[in-house]
Amino acid sequence: MPTKLFRRGMLLFATLLATLAQADLKLNMTRGVTDISNEVYGLHMLIFWVCVVIGIIVFGVMGYSIVMHRKSRGAVADNFHESVKVELLWTILPAIVVIAIGYRAFFTLEKMYDFDDSDMTVEIVGYQWKWRYSYLGGDAAERVTYFSSLATPRDQINGLTTKGENYLLEVDEPLVLPIGMKIRFVISSADVIHSWWVPQLAVKKDAIPGIVNESWTHINEPGTYRGQCTELCGKDHGFMPIVVEALPQAEFDTWLAAKKVETRKLAELTQKDWTYDELMELGESAYVKNCAACHQVDGSGIAGVFPALKNSVIALGPVEDHIDIVVNGSRNNAAMAAYGAQLSEVDMAAIITYERNAWGNDTGDVVTPVDILNYNAGQ
Amino acid sequence: MTTTTDHHDHDHEHHGPAKGLTRWIYTTNHKDIGTLYLWFSFAMFFLGGLFAMVIRAELFQPGLQLIQPEFFNQMTTMHGLIMVFGAVMPAFVGLANWMIPMMIGAPDMALPRMNNLSFWILPFAFAMLTSTLFMTGGAPNFGWTFYAPLSTTYAPPSVTYFIFAIHLMGASSIMGAINVIATILNMRAPGMTWMKLPLFVWTWLITAFLLIAVMPVLAGVVTMMLMDIHFGTSFFNAAGGGSPVLFQHLFWFFGHPEVYIMILPAFGIVSAIIPTFARKKLFGYSSMVYATSSIALLSFIVWAHHMFTVGIPFAGELFFMAATMLIAVPTGVKVFNWVTTMFRGSLTFETPMLFSIAFVVLFSIGGFSGLMLAVAPADFQYHDTYFVVAHFHYVLVPGAIFSIMASVYYWLPKWSGRMYNETLGKTHFWLSFVGVNVTFFPQHFVGLAGMPRRIPDYSVQFADINMISSMGAFLFGASQLLFLFVVIHTIVAGKKAPAKPWEGAEGLEWEVASPAPYHTFTTPPKID
Amino acid sequence: MTEQQQPPRSHIKVVMVSIGTVIGMLLFVYYGLRPLYFLICEWTGITGSSFDQAEAQPFVVQEDRPIKVQFLALNNAAMSWQFHAVDSEVIAYPGEVVQVSYYARNASQRDMVGQAVPSLSPFEATGYFSKTECFCFNQQPLAAGEDAELGLVFQIDPDLPDWVKTISLTYTLFDVTGEMEVSLLD
């Protein structure tokens, strides 16, 4: 054996291990903040140690052989090559270990499947590339529904500014939940398969179009818990995080009441008189948030994949066609969703106004929220 | 003719191989076809490896530095497809072609012309698949597991070529599997009874049955996709009454046996090499055969462990957890048997043995993380994170790929008639060993810490481990250039090899000259 | 080596039989699979939750067992209609025949056809929730600006497992304008 090379290799490996040890690293699963997450952590550690013990035994025997049974040490090969007793032993013993772990896992799994008897229900819908949360129950006119999108600025992603502490794990509007209550989730998707995961709650469920899935949680401690989408869903799969803000009951109630007031206020905003500048300002930020992922910040799209809006037939043509495609989506390409179902009239009016006037498009057209309302009402 | 020993083989040969390039296009010789498969697989290994280097380069640091997310998704998809269907599977088929006839004392495979077709389909299929990188809309970008509706309603135009390529690869594998079964069943030399077969032949026989059982299912799945995309059906489209979950069931019904297809031949290789370098018979031969068969049978009833978070009913979830945990038992039996083979042997550590020992240790580590994944409640925290990526790379890279490298070092003297340079071989081993562990071991941790799969950018707490992993990947990738050099150098300038270069080797392949004559065992050997 | 011979008769027969078999298989797939599928479903009783419009059974209503039934409405991203459940939550008793409705409005400028796909949770309740009148899987055409109230009548089987106290029924609305007019209930 080339010992020099071997030694150098070992040195490199040791250096890497040392780097590993010193770097600020989270190396294990979180215990989390729910009873279930703690049970899951316990199962994880149990099976982990079982594997470590088996590994030490097996690799230990092998290591012993490698040292003591070398030909260069004068070892002469024995000639035993079968034993029914031994085969039975190392079939039955591992089977017992495995069954024991399975038995313990059964009870945790049963609890994870007990969705019923909850105190509230939250509807979670996955979109490309954001989540929509809806608090079910109560008066339909006051139902709090909102989208939750990545809030990390593009500049950080492109390396133009330093990355924040919660880089890629921050959203504009977190899911706010009360602690100490059983919360049921009903989960689905509006386009492709996504998956909603918050490690500290140990909740992960796929969001599948056309199908409703259930899950539940009961959060023990207030705090902020961050997760990510865990099913490949297209280009921004890595950019649709989840943030759960768990509040004590009283604070949650206050928050929810305030949100309901906001919902009513939005209806009023729709009727207000908007100026060109106000629409352009809101339009730019709404465009960046909702449209730039595909059509790009400068409106140039991606050749062959996402059409350009700068100088485009839609942005320069009849206003009605432009409203149609934003509200109803594209007939030919499922990737252009029907934003009428996702955005408020205020946002859509602002975005369309912006698209018709930015990047040199300069049509001078102004589309107000009332225009959108009227369009929807069919006038 | 009345003579039966192989001394007279060369009397019956009227000609050696044809001359020129057409030799390789028209060959029906199992050794030539084996060589074609192995070189093809080597090329695909580099291509898939190149994509992996692009992936790890982007993941070297947080942020998007080199490529855009759309292209990243194409890289991860193509890396998976090419490694699974272009590198690992063809390598094992190449080894089957080269070694099975010799190991059973047969002159060639049962269906030599179909053998030729099985190979030549592949370069065409992969050229087409690779060309999708240059098409409008880009290459397939929906993961090698291509879940609907991402791969149907939302797929780029190249998906149709992807489907065509899968059909071709499937046809190639099915024909190859039929050939293997026909050969082993019908062409064993007299006296070569079932329980005398080398374990490599056994594992390939079982693998061939798995292939025939599941490749048609894959063909069915991609055909249904094609129908959904182009002909208005709704197999996987909820709008028309179909279900995306149906896709997953059908895919994984193929997908799970597929991963056993990718590991059983590796088990056979290691069962050939360890006894040779321990100078001791394989411990528990019949047990090994039964264990392999149990693994193959069990592999059909565990598929939904890939779907624990999809929302399958409680009873189903429980069943799949139990069956999956059970499959650890026969796999463990095999590991114990290998270790017992080494125990009280007389060990030397040439390169094939180094790779085989590393296989046993590192594949077992992959098996441990697999056992952890089987525990359904815990899987809710592991699923679709880097913990899974670490698991399957451990069983596939220091698992399947190391076994292939071991087999190359082990049998290259037989194929080429020349010995490889032992120092270079060991260097390749140690560099690969360090590289593979530095790349994939840290991924367990970053997965446990919460990093999902298939993302081009990640939050800053994962940065240090990703950097280490990328460095390991670059080391591993670069080391394979050394492997290429070793192989070519051996063929061109290696020292001449005897018929049996390994003192402890057993098997019919070592009774023919090195390099093996173009036609071997044209008269069957006598087996005692 | 030898001169070209006529392929033996038995070879031609094998070829003809093989071709005939392949054609027969293709015809079977095209004409025979669908009736066979429905036959097998009926014979084994695996009919799925929404396939048959069941008939209301004369069950005795279990008045001591309130079941909370939630009705959710979801739009596929490419579908622009307004769509929501008029009654988002009702308390139903096993055996009782209950009527609820959904509201849909085509607010666009063109005529469209929608299709609502149901999904029920928990899975174990699916066999006990029969819809005696349902707009699921029926293609719903709405002219530009038109709206409709879509009725749903259901009945919960009293044999529903004890532990089920809440049932969620989601309808996902898809745009199927221009797709083949096929009813999945025949």
Side-chain angles (χ1 to χ4, degrees):
Chain A
M1 216 185 301
T3 25
K4 220 188 237 167
L5 209 56
F6 176 64
R7 288 212 187 109
R8 291 215 189 104
M10 285 290 103
L11 190 60
L12 178 65
F13 190 53
T15 319
L16 287 162
L17 274 180
T19 321
L20 223 107
Q22 279 165 42
D24 180 20
L25 303 162
K26 264 194 69 184
L27 292 183
N28 201 359
M29 184 190 287
T30 176
R31 271 183 203 277
V33 295
T34 69
D35 292 344
I36 292 282
S37 69
N38 276 279
E39 266 190 60
V40 164
Y41 176 84
L43 264 174
H44 158 72
M45 291 311 287
L46 170 67
I47 183 94
F48 170 71
W49 286 119
V50 166
C51 291
V52 166
V53 167
I54 298 175
I56 289 177
I57 298 174
V58 175
F59 303 151
V61 171
M62 182 191 265
Y64 178 82
S65 274
I66 289 177
V67 170
M68 302 301 282
H69 300 149
R70 313 171 145 244
K71 182 175 176 200
S72 58
R73 254 186 114 105
V76 171
D78 212 317
N79 55 20
F80 61 85
H81 60 267
E82 61 186 356
S83 160
V84 176
K85 246 187 267 172
V86 155
E87 300 284 358
L88 279 173
L89 189 73
W90 65 40
T91 306
I92 293 176
L93 277 181
I96 293 175
V97 170
V98 151
I99 289 170
I101 297 172
Y103 179 77
R104 174 143 163 212
F106 167 86
F107 292 104
T108 310
L109 193 64
E110 193 179 31
K111 284 186 210 146
M112 289 171 97
Y113 266 79
D114 177 22
F115 313 120
D116 227 319
D117 278 331
S118 62
D119 299 305
M120 63 183 274
T121 307
V122 175
E123 180 191 78
I124 300 174
V125 182
Y127 285 76
Q128 281 177 322
W129 290 282
K130 55 199 173 208
W131 297 95
R132 193 190 77 192
Y133 302 120
S134 196
Y135 295 80
L136 300 187
D139 189 356
E142 271 195 332
R143 170 172 308 166
V144 178
T145 306
Y146 56 87
F147 282 91
S148 181
S149 319
L150 177 69
T152 303
R154 279 275 136 187
D155 277 355
Q156 283 186 26
I157 298 175
N158 293 323
L160 297 171
T161 50
T162 8
K163 297 173 173 47
E165 188 194 340
N166 291 315
Y167 177 72
L168 292 193
L169 290 177
E170 51 203 344
V171 298
D172 49 6
E173 300 220 40
L175 174 64
V176 181
L177 294 175
I179 61 167
M181 276 174 74
K182 184 167 181 181
I183 303 163
R184 186 165 151 266
F185 299 116
V186 283
I187 302 169
S188 187
S189 165
D191 36 46
V192 296
I193 303 179
H194 301 268
S195 189
W196 197 83
W197 181 40
V198 180
Q200 285 169 297
L201 307 181
V203 171
K204 181 184 288 161
K205 224 25 166 319
D206 285 5
I208 304 172
I211 292 177
V212 66
N213 267 337
E214 280 183 277
S215 190
W216 72 271
T217 191
H218 180 120
I219 308 175
N220 293 332
E221 289 163 38
T224 306
Y225 309 116
R226 303 171 192 274
Q228 290 185 265
C229 176
T230 39
E231 186 59 60
L232 180 64
C233 52
K235 76 180 185 72
D236 281 348
H237 161 60
F239 301 99
M240 49 182 288
I242 293 142
V243 177
V244 170
E245 195 82 53
L247 299 176
Q249 183 74 52
E251 279 175 54
F252 172 76
D253 289 337
T254 316
W255 176 86
L256 191 62
K259 268 305 217 181
K260 289 186 177 165
V261 169
E262 232 180 82
T263 308
R264 270 180 261 130
K265 274 229 181 88
L266 183 61
E268 290 162 32
L269 255 180
T270 309
Q271 298 292 331
K272 143 195 154 108
D273 256 319
W274 287 81
T275 66
Y276 173 83
D277 290 323
E278 283 173 331
L279 284 168
M280 287 299 281
E281 194 189 330
L282 176 62
E284 187 180 2
S285 61
Y287 174 85
V288 166
K289 182 171 140 170
N290 293 293
C291 322
C294 300
H295 292 292
Q296 306 304 303
V297 174
D298 63 0
S300 57
I302 296 180
V305 187
F306 303 119
L309 298 178
K310 178 167 141 166
N311 249 325
S312 77
V313 172
I314 292 282
L316 302 178
V319 174
E320 281 219 338
D321 292 345
H322 196 161
I323 296 179
D324 181 26
I325 202 171
V326 171
V327 171
N328 298 312
S330 159
R331 238 157 292 172
N332 306 313
N333 191 343
M336 175 62 200
Y339 283 91
Q342 297 182 24
L343 298 175
S344 65
E345 286 82 1
V346 171
D347 279 339
M348 280 192 285
I351 287 172
I352 295 173
T353 306
Y354 179 73
E355 287 170 354
R356 299 184 76 77
N357 292 290
W359 321 303
N361 279 348
D362 293 338
T363 58
D365 291 330
V366 166
V367 178
T368 64
V370 174
D371 288 334
I372 305 286
L373 262 181
N374 288 337
Y375 175 86
N376 280 338
Q379 284 158 323
Chain B
M1 298 292 159
T2 52
T3 48
T4 51
T5 61
D6 60 357
H7 294 300
H8 296 261
D9 261 6
H10 55 273
D11 286 358
H12 299 269
E13 266 156 51
H14 310 291
H15 49 78
K19 304 262 177 268
L21 213 56
T22 49
R23 162 185 172 182
W24 299 101
I25 302 178
Y26 297 129
T27 182
T28 55
N29 181 289
H30 73 100
K31 302 187 179 72
D32 276 356
I33 293 175
T35 303
L36 285 170
Y37 269 108
L38 288 168
W39 278 115
F40 173 77
S41 140
F42 209 174
M44 291 294 107
F45 181 56
F46 279 112
L47 183 62
L50 177 65
F51 297 155
M53 295 302 111
V54 171
I55 293 169
R56 287 305 334 165
E58 178 55 59
L59 291 174
F60 185 68
Q61 284 181 304
L64 294 175
Q65 295 88 15
L66 302 167
I67 56 178
Q68 287 305 302
E70 309 81 80
F71 188 67
F72 184 85
N73 287 344
Q74 294 173 39
M75 286 289 97
T76 48
T77 305
M78 296 294 277
H79 166 72
L81 288 170
I82 288 187
M83 286 305 201
V84 169
F85 294 110
V88 174
M89 288 173 78
F92 283 136
V93 176
L95 289 169
N97 261 292
W98 247 110
M99 304 312 301
I100 291 181
M102 287 200 291
M103 286 177 164
I104 64 178
D108 207 299
M109 299 290 285
L111 304 161
R113 271 189 235 141
M114 188 170 81
N115 206 9
N116 173 294
L117 177 67
S118 301
F119 171 73
W120 278 109
I121 284 178
L122 293 182
F124 177 69
F126 281 90
M128 181 170 55
L129 183 64
T130 315
S131 73
T132 57
L133 280 163
F134 305 104
M135 293 180 184
T136 323
N141 56 6
F142 29 70
W144 91 273
T145 55
F146 56 103
Y147 283 2
L150 187 63
S151 61
T152 50
T153 317
Y154 296 84
S158 60
V159 68
T160 311
Y161 297 94
F162 159 78
I163 291 172
F164 191 16
I166 296 275
H167 270 134
L168 290 173
M169 294 172 218
S172 164
S173 294
I174 293 172
M175 291 192 288
I178 292 173
N179 225 335
V180 165
I181 295 177
T183 309
I184 298 175
L185 255 50
N186 293 304
M187 294 171 68
R188 286 164 292 127
M192 175 58 78
T193 58
W194 290 109
M195 291 321 233
K196 284 215 192 97
L197 280 178
L199 218 56
F200 180 68
V201 179
W202 263 115
T203 54
W204 240 114
L205 178 64
I206 294 170
T207 304
F209 277 107
L210 285 179
L211 276 164
I212 291 181
V214 299
M215 292 308 294
V217 177
L218 181 66
V221 173
V222 297
T223 309
M224 293 200 255
M225 265 173 77
L226 191 73
M227 298 282 122
D228 271 15
I229 294 170
H230 292 291
F231 301 111
T233 56
S234 299
F235 290 106
F236 310 126
N237 180 9
S243 170
V245 179
L246 174 66
F247 177 91
Q248 294 187 33
H249 280 294
L250 292 173
F251 176 81
W252 285 116
F253 188 77
F254 149 77
H256 195 80
E258 164 67 16
V259 310
Y260 287 98
I261 288 167
M262 287 197 283
I263 203 66
L264 292 188
F267 291 163
I269 292 168
V270 168
S271 299
I273 295 179
I274 290 187
T276 299
F277 295 96
R279 290 160 184 75
K280 192 159 154 284
K281 262 189 154 61
L282 180 70
F283 186 85
Y285 175 91
S286 30
S287 193
M288 292 295 249
V289 175
Y290 296 137
T292 311
S293 316
S294 331
I295 292 172
L297 283 169
L298 280 171
S299 75
F300 283 103
I301 58 170
V302 298
W303 77 88
H305 65 230
H306 300 273
M307 298 164 61
F308 277 149
T309 62
V310 159
I312 56 186
F314 178 64
E317 193 110 336
L318 209 58
F319 169 76
F320 283 107
M321 172 172 81
T324 307
M325 293 184 79
L326 221 54
I327 216 172
V329 175
T331 317
V333 165
K334 294 184 82 76
V335 172
F336 304 144
N337 275 285
W338 287 317
V339 173
T340 313
T341 307
M342 288 169 69
F343 197 77
R344 295 233 210 103
S346 175
L347 305 169
T348 51
F349 300 98
E350 289 85 331
T351 309
M353 183 62 160
L354 288 176
F355 273 106
S356 302
I357 294 177
F359 173 93
V360 175
V361 174
L362 301 177
F363 172 80
S364 297
I365 292 179
F368 288 141
S369 56
L371 186 58
M372 293 169 78
L373 288 163
V375 179
D379 185 61
F380 282 96
Q381 298 281 57
Y382 307 136
H383 176 73
D384 242 283
T385 65
Y386 261 82
F387 191 78
V388 179
V389 177
H391 158 71
F392 67 69
H393 279 100
Y394 257 86
V395 289
L396 281 175
V397 186
I401 301 271
F402 269 26
S403 78
I404 294 169
M405 291 177 178
S407 72
V408 169
Y409 283 104
Y410 188 56
W411 283 312
L412 196 53
K414 180 60 52 189
W415 300 335
S416 65
R418 294 169 182 270
M419 286 304 289
Y420 62 88
N421 178 305
E422 189 61 53
T423 309
L424 288 180
K426 290 200 167 93
T427 309
H428 170 232
F429 168 74
W430 284 109
L431 289 174
S432 300
F433 178 81
V434 171
V436 102
N437 281 295
V438 172
T439 309
F440 297 114
F441 202 69
Q443 291 183 359
H444 290 108
F445 303 125
V446 88
L448 289 177
M451 181 176 170
R453 280 175 80 167
R454 295 168 166 168
I455 56 176
D457 191 7
Y458 46 81
S459 64
V460 291
Q461 76 248 41
F462 306 134
D464 290 329
I465 290 189
N466 269 285
M467 184 176 281
I468 294 171
S469 175
S470 289
M471 294 198 294
F474 300 146
L475 173 63
F476 182 74
S479 315
Q480 306 324 309
L481 294 170
L482 176 58
F483 185 38
L484 180 63
F485 175 79
V486 172
V487 171
I488 294 180
H489 180 262
T490 307
I491 294 172
V492 161
K495 259 191 260 205
K496 289 251 186 289
K500 188 163 107 151
W502 314 117
E503 182 192 7
E506 273 179 30
L508 286 175
E509 73 264 32
W510 305 111
E511 292 177 22
V512 304
S514 296
Y518 200 56
H519 300 290
T520 43
F521 299 125
T522 45
T523 28
K526 212 152 183 282
I527 321 286
D528 35 65
Chain C
M1 207 168 41
T2 54
E3 52 347 296
Q4 279 290 40
Q5 296 167 327
Q6 271 281 346
R9 272 232 188 88
S10 59
H11 282 195
I12 299 181
K13 200 154 136 226
V14 168
V15 170
M16 297 308 283
V17 170
S18 308
I19 293 178
T21 310
V22 170
I23 294 179
M25 284 165 72
L26 287 172
L27 287 174
F28 171 72
V29 164
Y30 192 73
Y31 289 111
L33 266 188
R34 206 151 169 265
L36 186 66
Y37 173 75
F38 284 120
L39 224 82
I40 293 177
C41 282
E42 255 185 72
W43 179 57
T44 55
I46 310 171
T47 51
S49 59
S50 324
F51 245 39
D52 289 337
Q53 294 220 111
E55 275 169 18
Q57 305 283 324
F59 289 126
V60 175
V61 175
Q62 288 179 348
E63 311 221 332
D64 55 346
R65 195 180 163 196
I67 308 279
K68 182 157 82 170
V69 187
Q70 286 180 326
F71 296 96
L72 309 169
L74 191 58
N75 276 31
N76 178 260
M79 178 45 142
S80 59
W81 291 5
Q82 292 165 20
F83 181 57
H84 61 260
V86 171
D87 320 278
S88 57
E89 207 172 282
V90 300
I91 302 289
Y93 298 91
E96 188 190 359
V97 176
V98 185
Q99 161 129 24
V100 293
S101 61
Y102 276 75
Y103 172 81
R105 179 154 192 275
N106 177 2
S108 77
Q109 311 283 57
R110 60 188 179 103
D111 300 340
M112 291 171 65
V113 182
Q115 183 141 295
V117 171
S119 176
L120 195 110
S121 190
F123 169 79
E124 289 81 358
T126 48
Y128 301 95
F129 189 94
S130 5
K131 306 189 203 67
T132 57
E133 228 176 85
C134 154
F135 57 92
C136 25
F137 293 126
N138 281 333
Q139 301 199 326
Q140 179 68 49
L142 285 179
E146 193 187 343
D147 64 10
E149 198 157 296
L150 308 165
L152 166 69
V153 180
F154 69 90
Q155 185 183 40
I156 301 177
D157 189 319
D159 286 335
L160 179 75
D162 296 334
W163 54 267
V164 180
K165 305 195 185 79
T166 311
I167 294 178
S168 299
L169 178 60
T170 308
Y171 280 93
T172 309
L173 192 65
F174 290 90
D175 180 2
V176 295
T177 316
E179 311 215 351
M180 282 200 304
E181 294 290 321
V182 177
S183 170
L184 288 112
L185 294 166
D186 63 19

